[in-house]
Amino acid sequence: MRVSFGDCVLDLERRQLVRKDRDVHLTPKAFDLLALLVAERPRAIAKTRIHDRLWPGTFVTESNLTTLVTELRKALGDTARSPRYVQTVHRFGYAFCGSATDRSERPAVSRRRGRHFTLEWDGGQVALHDGENVIGREDDATAWIESASVSRRHARILIAEGRATLEDLGSKNGTFYRGQRITSPVVLANDESIIVGLVPMRFRFSEAAPSTRTVARR
């Protein structure tokens, strides 16, 4: 299973954490803690249960868990004071508080009120589905772009309630909308130009029945 949140992708099968297109080193226990918090989100997990899962049948002090949480927050670019992902539940335990998307299965193409969304570029076209649509060079991106100017997880388009929102994912070369590099999510209008790295794209939506989905591949 692969789960994405913010600028991170957690691959449970490969035991890999990627952030801003770079592999992030985690100790085995820290990875197990992150996997547990993500799997149980948004429920808070008691410290006693975390201890039993990470150190079964072994006595460890509470400082061991505190050290793991500190390591995890540093790897995720998180803080205890303003947590985006790992939240302390005082006198109880911890919880994953971020918005995460299970990417193991591709959601259905959006058909709300008959509206469908497409993204086109030189050599490719893709129908966008409800939820997160990643644009980048990683293999299971919704819009896979073969360009050195494009990051593995470069940007995303979120489809919800008949509306599309574009967000840059901390890419190196930026995402541009209406000629401006975006630094926060923007709502997309119909038939607008988007530039991802150095790749121009065209976003459109219509009320007609969607055509067959095609994606440019290697």
Side-chain angles (χ1 to χ4, degrees), residues 3-218:
V3 180
S4 63
F5 48 93
D7 54 10
C8 301
V9 177
L10 178 66
D11 191 323
L12 297 176
E13 293 183 358
R14 296 180 181 179
R15 291 185 64 83
Q16 180 184 43
L17 175 66
V18 175
R19 181 178 177 226
K20 294 183 178 180
D21 297 329
R22 296 184 179 181
D23 291 339
V24 178
H25 173 72
L26 286 177
T27 60
K29 293 295 186 184
F31 187 94
D32 290 341
L33 174 59
L34 178 58
L36 177 61
L37 293 173
V38 168
E40 296 291 333
R41 68 184 191 278
R43 292 186 294 272
I45 308 175
K47 293 179 182 178
T48 53
R49 185 183 170 197
I50 296 175
H51 277 107
D52 291 343
R53 178 68 68 88
L54 299 184
W55 298 280
T58 303
F59 173 79
V60 295
T61 65
E62 189 169 325
S63 64
N64 290 69
L65 178 56
T66 302
T67 299
L68 287 185
V69 171
T70 300
E71 176 189 348
L72 201 53
R73 284 176 170 150
K74 182 178 180 180
L76 298 175
D78 206 2
T79 65
R81 180 170 296 181
S82 301
R84 293 187 300 158
Y85 306 121
V86 181
Q87 180 180 28
T88 300
V89 182
H90 295 289
R91 298 184 180 179
F92 183 77
Y94 298 94
F96 186 88
C97 59
S99 176
T101 302
D102 182 353
R103 305 174 62 202
S104 301
E105 298 181 1
R106 186 72 71 197
V109 171
S110 175
R111 297 178 182 270
R112 180 179 175 86
R113 302 190 189 97
R115 175 174 291 180
H116 75 281
F117 304 84
T118 59
L119 193 61
E120 303 171 8
W121 65 100
D122 185 19
Q125 175 181 322
V126 66
L128 305 178
H129 55 71
D130 285 333
E132 180 184 66
N133 297 267
V134 172
I135 304 169
R137 289 188 292 105
E138 66 177 9
D139 288 340
D140 62 349
T142 304
W144 185 88
I145 311 295
E146 187 176 15
S147 171
S149 69
V150 176
S151 302
R152 288 175 58 187
R153 280 177 55 82
H154 194 106
R156 66 178 179 176
I157 297 177
L158 296 176
I159 305 294
E161 299 182 352
R163 188 174 72 167
T165 304
L166 174 67
E167 181 181 0
D168 184 80
L169 296 177
S171 66
K172 178 180 178 180
N173 295 313
T175 303
F176 300 81
Y177 179 60
R178 294 180 174 174
Q180 300 294 321
R181 183 167 184 166
I182 65 173
T183 57
S184 59
V186 296
V187 177
L188 295 174
N190 188 28
D191 199 21
E192 287 282 358
S193 174
I194 300 169
I195 299 178
V196 176
L198 299 177
V199 178
M201 312 183 80
R202 177 68 61 175
F203 169 80
R204 293 188 174 97
F205 64 79
S206 70
E207 307 298 332
S211 57
T212 303
R213 180 174 185 258
T214 59
V215 182
R217 286 286 174 182
R218 285 170 280 199

